[in-house]
Amino acid sequence: MREGRTPHVTATAWRPQRGDLAYDTGSSRVGVVTALPEDTGTAAYQLTPEGGGTGWTAPHSRLRPPDVIQTAVLYVCVQRGELHPVLPVERAQEEGRNFADLHGLHLVETITDPFGEPDPQHREGWRRVRELAAAGRVATVIVRWPAAISPEHSHELRAHEIAWLKDHATKVRYSWPPPAPLEPKRSRGARHDPVGHRAGGLGGPRVP
């Protein structure tokens, strides 16, 4: 097995060199960097499995040092209750820590923002999340649910932030997964009527 060097992650984005081990978030594989973009005149790095085998290419945005594969930041932004204003925050933090433990994630920071600002980029805490992702210090952001990033009426802002994190090889995971959409229930004894004849749908005759 070929030994690879894993450099320390600094405040600037990590740039792997030839011989470094790198984790490709796109393919979920670790490989040895065998060629840099300047070697091939492309925008991709070339990697080979540690034990040998067929190599592959990956852009810089997908690469992380192996020692940060399991690192995460816990982000909390929840509405505080009137009777117990601190309780919702504490519960979200506890759920996030339990989620990290369950999935083998190492929390490098826990960041909390006040609830109320719909645009995450206007929050100091979320800007810190972005800073960690851009610096290559985390590969996962744990939030309680999607609205912690941005409320439903500003879902496009949330989508933008999730896409930005993905471009920086960082994924979002929810400690309280969003519920699956419910299928509409039929009334008991109702017959399936795809063309709507019973209601005169599609101009068809009513069926007695």
Side-chain angles (χ1 to χ4, degrees):
M1 181 181 296
R2 182 176 177 179
E3 293 291 331
R5 295 180 292 110
T6 303
H8 175 68
V9 178
T10 63
T12 58
W14 179 62
R15 295 283 176 178
Q17 300 301 312
R18 299 177 197 87
D20 286 347
L21 285 177
Y23 175 71
D24 177 11
T25 60
S27 62
S28 299
R29 291 186 290 175
V30 174
V32 180
V33 176
T34 57
L36 307 179
E38 53 264 35
D39 297 333
T40 60
T42 67
Y45 289 76
Q46 292 187 357
L47 300 99
T48 302
E50 290 185 81
T54 304
W56 74 97
T57 61
H60 174 260
S61 62
R62 279 178 22 191
L63 300 182
R64 284 287 184 270
D67 60 354
V68 302
I69 296 173
Q70 300 300 324
T71 57
V73 57
L74 173 59
Y75 178 73
V76 176
C77 183
V78 297
Q79 188 170 10
R80 296 173 180 264
E82 294 182 2
L83 297 178
H84 304 284
V86 181
L87 187 58
V89 175
E90 292 178 342
R91 283 181 174 172
Q93 291 176 343
E94 181 180 6
E95 288 171 5
R97 288 191 294 266
N98 291 340
F99 181 90
D101 290 342
L102 178 63
H103 295 277
L105 299 171
H106 171 65
L107 291 179
V108 298
E109 283 189 36
T110 296
I111 300 172
T112 302
D113 262 329
F115 181 83
E117 170 55 59
D119 190 341
Q121 291 196 45
H122 290 171
R123 306 180 205 142
E124 181 179 357
W126 184 258
R127 290 196 297 268
R128 173 61 178 163
V129 171
R130 276 173 148 254
E131 180 183 331
L132 292 172
R137 291 190 55 196
V138 296
T140 302
V141 178
I142 301 174
V143 299
R144 194 178 196 189
W145 42 46
I149 302 175
S150 190
E152 288 304 317
H153 63 77
S154 300
H155 60 86
E156 70 282 354
L157 297 175
R158 181 198 314 151
H160 178 271
E161 293 304 301
I162 293 176
W164 185 91
L165 289 170
K166 184 177 180 180
D167 288 342
H168 289 77
T170 304
K171 58 187 175 183
V172 175
R173 300 185 70 176
Y174 303 108
S175 59
W176 190 332
L182 298 176
E183 294 185 1
K185 295 182 179 179
R186 297 183 196 152
S187 59
R188 182 173 298 179
R191 291 184 295 175
H192 181 55
D193 187 27
V195 297
H197 284 169
R198 291 178 61 84
L202 301 180
R206 294 183 62 87
V207 180

